[in-house]
Amino acid sequence: MIVDAIKNGIVIDHITAGHAMELYSILELDKLDCTVAVLINVPSKKKGKKDIIKVDTLLDVDFDVLGYVDPNITVSIIKDSKVEKKLEMKLPSTVTNVIKCKNPRCITSTEQELDHIFKLTNAEKKIYRCVYCESKAK
Amino acid sequence: MRSLIDIKDLSIEEIDELIVKANDIIENPKKYVHACDGLKLATLFFEPSTRTRLSFEAAMYELGGNVLGFSEAQSSSAAKGESVSDTVKTVSCYADIIAMRHPKEGAPLVASRKASVPIINAGDGGHNHPTQTLTDLLTIHREKGRFNNLTIGFCGDLKFGRTVHSLIEAMSRYQNIKVVLISPVELKLPSYIKHDVLRAHNIEYVQTTNLEDVMPTLDILYMTRVQRERFFNEDDYVRLKDSYILTPEKLVNAKEDLCIMHPLPRVNEISTEIDSDSRACYFKQVLNGKFIRMALILKLLGVE
Ligand SMILES: [Zn+2]
């Protein structure tokens, strides 16, 4: 299967197979006007299968969100049909408004305007906790 | 500008500083009667807790300062739906420091991010209550003269008791601490605390359902309430509650210098016969609570 090469845009690669659509909705790619290609179950040497998303514009993505969803992801920034930069994602130390705190006793449950902020408290086990009530992200 | 939201915000050195300051206040009360002249503490209690509020207010008055505030949400603007942020921004205009109690977890943290004066968390739901932990630490230090080399027994409701969780966390930072967990199976210490705190700090601990068996080993016995509503059925409650009531008979094999603590209020988990025992420290704890709050107010206000 061939998808046209991008002139200016980004390639989100090495997405764990099956996670592309989740990223698609988190990054709100449905709101873009440009071409977006979502490739699912692409054969991969390392992982057997992977997903790839190609966006035909220099989209300003939140790398923390990508790292949170899948720290194995790489992002290539393409300019004039050349890879200008290749970035490795990592688990972010905090994420804002990506996870919602579900603890009914948490202050975020009554004060709607508060950002939902989660902090990485255990990188090994990928445990994030709400900064307000310390509940674990589910 | 610093606030105190979580006991973990304080380093061991800062806790030591507060203990030294509290001891100095106890020994030289005259030195501090004008320390906070012209300064105001606001006690914002979105849920009632007379005990904690009185302790903060007494602390500020003894430093020569003044107090304003409210003691329940109904009498505050929160009843009209005002956000915590707006309330503390307003109160910051009137007060130099705020002690805040709130039923929602994390509310004091929200306040500390918006207020222009220091915030002291006076309890946020079942989450944090750092001045209770400081009170416990001052009591341990005054009774034992040290934080290292202690065997501490926690008895009663170890599942829901936040004072127990925080004190275990605070004590786990010291050397050669042994922890004895005494509770009915239904109210055992949550496994994440055993894992994240006790095992993570290599703290030796024992878990038992029998208080008398472990009594001789204890330097400190921290009693908590076993509440009826924690049990699924009345039979279990009736069967178990007496095992966790401290009576003179259970103290027969205790150390001479055991220190018996309780965060109060007590219902019946410590027999009143023990009140006159020199090892009973729970009323001293109340007094220590005021002194450590005085030390904390001075520290956060930057008053020497
Ligand atoms: Zn929360």
Side-chain angles (χ1 to χ4, degrees), chain A residues 7-138:
Chain A
K7 196 160 183 239
N8 291 298
I10 61 169
V11 177
I12 306 172
D13 199 353
H14 301 108
I15 304 166
T16 304
H19 285 212
M21 289 318 289
E22 186 190 346
L23 272 182
Y24 183 85
S25 76
I26 292 171
L27 297 174
E28 300 183 325
L29 300 181
D30 55 324
K31 295 193 178 140
L32 295 177
D33 267 340
C34 65
T35 310
V36 177
V38 179
L39 306 167
I40 291 173
N41 293 333
V42 180
S44 150
K45 271 178 233 144
K46 259 191 263 167
K47 301 160 89 178
K49 276 180 192 173
K50 63 177 180 179
D51 292 356
I52 303 173
I53 299 177
K54 297 186 177 188
V55 182
D56 205 9
T57 185
L58 285 163
L59 177 70
D60 189 12
V61 287
D62 184 342
F63 295 127
D64 283 350
V65 172
L66 289 180
Y68 173 72
V69 175
D70 192 340
N72 301 312
I73 288 173
T74 59
V75 176
S76 301
I77 316 271
I78 317 283
K79 272 190 188 157
D80 298 325
S81 306
K82 275 185 228 136
V83 176
E84 196 200 50
K85 251 194 284 180
K86 193 165 182 173
L87 305 160
E88 309 256 332
M89 295 297 107
K90 57 176 193 299
L91 278 182
S93 55
T94 60
V95 284
T96 302
N97 295 332
V98 177
I99 318 161
K100 284 260 166 200
C101 183
K102 295 198 180 79
N103 174 6
R105 298 178 307 278
C106 181
I107 186 68
T108 54
S109 71
T110 43
E111 304 223 340
Q112 315 300 333
E113 78 288 1
L114 288 173
D115 286 333
H116 287 234
I117 307 168
F118 278 74
K119 244 193 195 148
L120 181 65
T121 56
N122 185 330
E124 215 175 289
K125 293 186 185 150
K126 200 188 164 185
I127 294 173
Y128 282 84
R129 286 183 187 275
C130 171
V131 294
Y132 302 107
C133 69
E134 295 175 84
S135 290
K136 231 196 256 182
K138 295 263 157 57

Side-chain angles (χ1 to χ4, degrees), chain B:
Chain B
M1 193 260 326
R2 281 276 310 265
S3 289
L4 177 62
I5 304 302
D6 182 333
I7 192 73
K8 297 191 286 291
D9 297 344
L10 295 172
S11 66
I12 289 186
E13 291 73 28
E14 286 172 315
I15 287 176
D16 285 345
E17 249 177 69
L18 287 170
I19 301 280
V20 167
K21 181 60 94 180
N23 280 321
D24 192 51
I25 294 169
I26 294 168
E27 278 148 36
N28 309 291
K30 285 210 182 94
K31 221 167 107 182
Y32 295 93
V33 288
H34 295 296
C36 288
D37 273 359
L39 296 172
K40 288 189 286 286
L41 164 77
T43 50
L44 308 187
F45 277 53
F46 292 86
E47 71 176 0
S49 171
T50 309
R51 231 162 240 291
T52 306
R53 189 170 50 86
L54 291 181
S55 182
F56 272 107
E57 295 186 354
M60 192 56 172
Y61 283 126
E62 285 201 24
L63 291 168
N66 281 302
V67 176
L68 65 161
F70 52 84
S71 56
E72 54 183 332
Q74 278 72 31
S75 59
S76 77
S77 47
K80 298 187 196 107
E82 189 181 51
S83 69
V84 166
S85 304
D86 284 359
T87 305
V88 298
K89 275 190 228 160
T90 308
V91 175
S92 296
C93 302
Y94 307 130
D96 303 283
I97 185 164
I98 294 171
M100 177 173 163
R101 188 177 186 101
H102 200 287
K104 289 287 178 178
E105 301 174 7
L109 178 66
V110 172
S112 72
R113 290 178 169 191
K114 298 292 174 183
S116 54
V117 301
I119 303 280
I120 302 173
N121 181 357
D124 57 338
H127 185 218
N128 283 319
H129 192 6
T131 57
Q132 176 67 52
T133 309
L134 285 174
T135 299
D136 296 339
L137 290 173
L138 177 61
T139 305
I140 290 172
H141 200 270
R142 285 189 65 76
E143 296 303 316
K144 294 289 162 194
R146 64 182 192 275
F147 286 131
N148 299 321
N149 311 313
L150 291 169
T151 299
I152 313 172
F154 293 91
C155 178
D157 178 357
L158 309 188
K159 187 173 180 183
F160 299 99
R162 69 171 167 194
T163 53
V164 169
H165 302 171
S166 308
L167 187 56
I168 288 177
E169 199 149 3
M171 290 306 295
S172 68
R173 300 198 282 187
Y174 297 100
Q175 299 301 309
N176 194 22
I177 294 297
K178 294 191 182 92
V179 169
V180 182
L181 305 166
I182 311 137
S183 76
V185 178
E186 293 86 339
L187 298 176
K188 276 197 306 192
L189 190 74
S191 52
Y192 74 89
I193 298 182
K194 281 179 227 160
H195 188 270
D196 295 357
V197 181
L198 294 174
R199 283 189 210 129
H201 287 92
N202 274 321
I203 304 277
E204 204 183 307
Y205 72 91
V206 189
Q207 223 170 184
T208 175
T209 53
N210 191 308
L211 175 58
E212 280 143 298
D213 284 356
V214 292
M215 189 65 90
T217 65
L218 304 179
D219 297 308
I220 292 160
L221 173 58
Y222 197 97
M223 296 293 297
T224 63
R225 219 168 345 139
V226 174
Q227 285 165 289
R228 192 180 294 256
E229 56 269 30
R230 302 294 190 206
F231 286 88
F232 290 117
N233 64 66
E234 184 73 13
D235 291 349
D236 283 348
Y237 173 72
V238 173
R239 179 171 54 84
L240 289 166
K241 73 171 175 27
D242 290 348
S243 326
Y244 305 97
I245 290 178
L246 190 62
T247 55
E249 298 74 58
K250 290 203 181 85
L251 279 176
V252 169
N253 292 315
K255 286 186 184 171
E256 284 299 310
D257 62 347
L258 172 71
C259 164
I260 305 167
M261 297 171 66
H262 189 298
L264 300 185
R266 113 182 109 172
V267 179
N268 60 354
E269 52 282 358
I270 300 178
S271 147
T272 50
E273 294 164 80
I274 291 174
D275 295 358
S276 53
D277 192 306
S278 62
R279 292 170 288 191
C281 298
Y282 31 93
F283 289 111
K284 288 190 213 166
Q285 255 172 292
V286 178
L287 202 53
N288 290 336
K290 182 188 69 180
F291 292 124
I292 200 74
R293 287 182 176 96
M294 290 168 78
L296 180 65
I297 289 170
L298 292 174
K299 180 184 168 71
L300 295 180
L301 286 174
V303 177
E304 273 311 301

